[in-house]
Amino acid sequence: MSRSKPSGQSGMAREANPRMAVLIMAAGKGTRLKSKHPKVLHEVGGKPLLRHVIDAATRVFPASDVYAIIGHEAERVRQAVAASGVNFIYQREQRGTGHAVTSARDAVQHYDHVLVLSGDAPLITPATLQRLSEYHLQQRAAMTILSAVLDEPRGYGRILYRRDGRSVAQIAEEKSLTDRQRRLKEVNAGFYGFRAKPLFEHIARLTTDNAHREYYLTDMAGVLARAGEKVVALSASNPHEILGCNTRWELAEVDAELRLEKARRLAEEGVTIYAPQTCVIDADVQVGPDTVIEPFVQILGQTRIGSDCRVRSYSVLTDSELADGVVVRHGCVLEQARVAAGAVLGPYSHLRPGSEIGEGAHVGNFVETKKARLGKASKANHLTYLGDAEIGERVNVGAGTITCNYDGSRKHTTVIEDGAFIGSDATLVAPVRVGRNAYVAAGSTVTEDVPEDALALARTRQVTKSQWAKRRRESNT
Ligand code: UD1
Ligand code: CA
């Protein structure tokens, strides 16, 4: 079922152009997480559970054939994944997985087949979805269940076979297992292929006669088998992929898994990552070869890092862009910042949204920038706040310089032109402009523009009283 060529391959040849809908069940509340947020919006690997499943599905099937079933906090869930272009179905009351699929009937019953996926199993891969749909079509089964053999099958439904050992007789949920069945290790992964016709013909037979008083989709195995339909199981090649996230601890385990996987992929692309277990790198992050990432670094959101960079320990980079050869020393925090090639940041720099650091520029310790452009080869090395500032090339911003950008109601801009020199501890009261190659004397409070090549001195003159200290000492004895 590749997107470009939906038919004509392998087993599908028997059924001309079978149309397949993909349902993703995501309406549940997730009681076991003990959360006020919808379960499928909890994040692993930096993105919501549901987005992982949607991303896997839309790599195999066109988004126009994918339907997310939402219910609990539906609007929030819809907004969080709307960009994927999938369709949405509302399950008003959450009365079980069988009920979820029933509520999708009108939307999908005109398809030939329906693939049903669990929205809370984020490790599922496109390859496995493809395999499941192909096997389902090949087998010409009414229901094909993706299964997995787990060492610790607790909590999952178990696959029960008929005497032939191949056709499935039913799926038994954990709560209804006999002691013997409890030892079975082949579990229901929560992913299924159905032929639409028998599915919707028989789905009304589901009852709530079970421990949770819910309509279980899993009961369709028994219902269809008893109706003489073919029900089979396909074992996932990597049982790992099917792990659901039902508890906070499972979320943490799956998250760690995804982080390590991401780090491994980056490593394969030529990135050095020391102590990868200590780093948190989101799924969409890109990093160029020969970049070195030290322990305890977080790289989040849509951050893109070039080649030959070094990100030192304890830095957190969010939605930022670093060109090649950038050095981020210890403890920097970057948010929506852009840093040109060869720039050096930190230790302990805070680059807030709209910070643009030019080629080879230096931003040093305890420097905060916000909506500030620092031109090529300019330096702000110590203890400085640059907000709403346009700073040219080769500017030296002395230690302790502050742009006073806020007058209590509005923000104003400070402009510092190329080659200017701002002495230490200057306060630049915006709006103000310092011209090309001009100097501002240390300790100045600048309230008026400084013309090109001028020197501005804006501080009280020093008074020196000779022998003052000595006299004081002597008068005290
Ligand atoms: C389900 C299976 C179990 C299987 C396991 C695999 C049933 C009855 N049991 O159990 O056999 O081993 O998955 O992970 O299906 N949902 C809705 N609407 C509802 C109820 C649930 O959309 O009314 C959604 C949930 O949001 C979730 C998915 O369906 O994404 C699965 O539901 P969940 O309650 O997590 O089922 P499990 O107990 O994990
Ligand atoms: Ca589950």
Side-chain angles (χ1 to χ4, degrees):
M1 296 304 300
S2 78
R3 188 182 286 211
S4 51
K5 201 157 172 276
S7 69
Q9 303 149 329
S10 59
M12 284 173 266
R14 285 183 223 133
E15 197 175 344
N17 281 329
R19 296 199 57 218
M20 187 159 305
V22 180
L23 287 179
I24 305 178
M25 300 183 292
K29 188 164 186 293
T31 316
R32 286 164 282 183
L33 287 178
K34 300 190 169 65
S35 174
K36 60 181 174 297
H37 307 294
K39 176 189 202 175
V40 293
L41 291 192
H42 280 263
E43 293 190 356
V44 290
K47 59 183 189 183
L49 297 179
L50 179 56
R51 251 197 63 205
H52 286 274
V53 181
I54 288 178
D55 288 353
T58 53
R59 278 176 59 191
V60 187
F61 304 93
S64 54
D65 289 331
V66 178
Y67 299 78
I69 304 175
I70 55 179
H72 180 69
E73 294 255 23
E75 198 40 36
R76 273 184 69 195
V77 177
R78 197 185 61 77
Q79 275 178 21
V81 298
S84 63
V86 303
N87 307 284
F88 294 95
I89 292 166
Y90 291 88
Q91 182 195 8
R92 270 167 234 299
E93 269 178 289
Q94 289 79 57
R95 302 176 65 192
T97 46
H99 181 254
V101 172
T102 303
S103 64
R105 174 190 223 128
D106 288 347
V108 301
Q109 67 180 348
H110 62 282
Y111 285 87
D112 301 310
H113 298 272
V114 183
L115 210 61
V116 180
L117 322 181
S118 289
D120 64 345
L123 297 177
I124 194 73
T125 61
T128 297
L129 295 179
Q130 173 115 19
R131 235 183 106 223
L132 174 63
S133 71
E134 278 172 4
Y135 187 77
H136 170 70
L137 295 174
Q138 242 166 43
Q139 289 290 312
R140 319 198 82 187
M143 178 178 186
T144 305
I145 303 154
L146 184 70
S147 71
V149 177
L150 299 184
D151 290 337
E152 291 176 38
R154 233 179 73 148
Y156 290 89
R158 309 292 205 285
I159 313 279
L160 306 184
Y161 287 94
R162 289 196 167 150
R163 245 183 239 126
D164 66 9
R166 289 197 39 146
S167 356
V168 174
Q170 69 174 103
I171 299 171
E173 289 302 306
E174 171 84 26
K175 288 225 162 133
S176 68
L177 296 174
T178 64
D179 287 344
R180 237 180 93 204
Q181 289 167 343
R182 196 163 289 116
R183 288 197 290 273
L184 296 172
K185 298 202 158 167
E186 186 177 4
V187 306
N188 166 30
F191 294 81
Y192 322 83
F194 287 100
R195 215 163 56 239
K197 197 156 169 283
L199 168 66
F200 290 116
E201 229 168 64
H202 296 287
I203 201 164
R205 296 195 191 181
L206 294 179
T207 68
T208 57
D209 186 13
N210 55 52
H212 289 111
R213 303 260 147 242
E214 285 186 349
Y215 295 98
Y216 289 168
L217 183 62
T218 47
D219 285 347
M220 283 309 292
V223 166
L224 289 167
R226 284 194 298 277
E229 297 283 355
K230 182 173 181 183
V231 181
V232 295
L234 169 71
S235 189
S237 25
N238 178 2
H240 211 77
E241 272 183 39
I242 69 118
L243 292 183
C245 292
N246 295 313
T247 63
R248 298 269 180 174
W249 199 247
E250 284 170 2
L251 271 178
E253 285 176 337
V254 168
D255 182 67
E257 188 77 33
L258 284 166
R259 302 297 184 183
L260 214 53
E261 190 48 45
K262 173 74 185 181
R264 183 175 299 132
R265 268 203 307 280
L266 289 176
E268 278 164 14
E269 290 164 13
V271 180
T272 294
I273 306 175
Y274 294 116
Q277 300 86 343
T278 67
C279 294
V280 177
I281 305 176
D282 278 356
D284 296 340
V285 166
Q286 296 173 27
V287 185
D290 285 324
T291 283
V292 177
I293 298 170
E294 295 191 359
F296 297 102
V297 163
Q298 298 195 38
I299 309 177
L300 309 175
Q302 304 297 313
T303 297
R304 293 209 313 249
I305 299 179
S307 335
D308 303 305
C309 294
R310 187 170 193 107
V311 183
R312 309 214 58 185
S313 295
Y314 314 115
S315 290
V316 182
L317 282 50
T318 308
D319 295 328
S320 294
E321 253 176 69
L322 273 56
D324 297 342
V326 171
V327 177
V328 180
R329 295 189 177 128
H330 295 91
C332 291
V333 175
L334 276 66
E335 264 168 275
Q336 293 169 44
R338 289 175 55 186
V339 183
V344 180
L345 312 179
Y348 312 112
S349 304
H350 185 188
L351 275 54
R352 293 168 49 204
S355 297
E356 285 186 38
I357 310 305
E359 212 180 302
H362 287 201
V363 178
N365 36 192
F366 308 109
V367 173
E368 174 182 346
T369 63
K370 185 220 72 176
K371 260 200 195 165
R373 228 182 49 220
L374 192 64
K376 193 168 163 178
S378 287
K379 291 177 182 163
N381 271 333
H382 331 269
L383 304 161
T384 287
Y385 174 61
L386 301 171
D388 301 287
E390 300 260 343
I391 301 168
E393 301 182 357
R394 290 168 288 99
V395 168
N396 186 82
V397 178
T401 297
I402 307 285
T403 56
C404 307
N405 59 328
Y406 186 48
D407 63 13
S409 49
R410 290 175 52 214
K411 301 282 171 68
H412 303 279
T413 305
T414 300
V415 178
I416 305 174
E417 295 180 353
D418 295 349
F421 181 97
I422 312 297
S424 294
D425 200 27
T427 356
L428 307 169
V429 183
V432 73
R433 171 182 295 265
V434 178
R436 255 178 102 80
N437 299 324
Y439 273 63
V440 169
S444 293
T445 297
V446 178
T447 53
E448 287 163 27
D449 288 357
V450 182
E452 190 174 324
D453 285 324
L455 164 68
L457 265 159
R459 64 188 186 214
T460 50
R461 258 193 184 297
Q462 180 169 325
V463 177
T464 308
K465 301 186 177 177
S466 63
Q467 299 299 307
W468 181 90
K470 189 166 178 248
R471 278 201 303 276
R472 183 170 188 267
R473 246 185 350 262
E474 285 163 2
S475 72
N476 281 347
T477 53

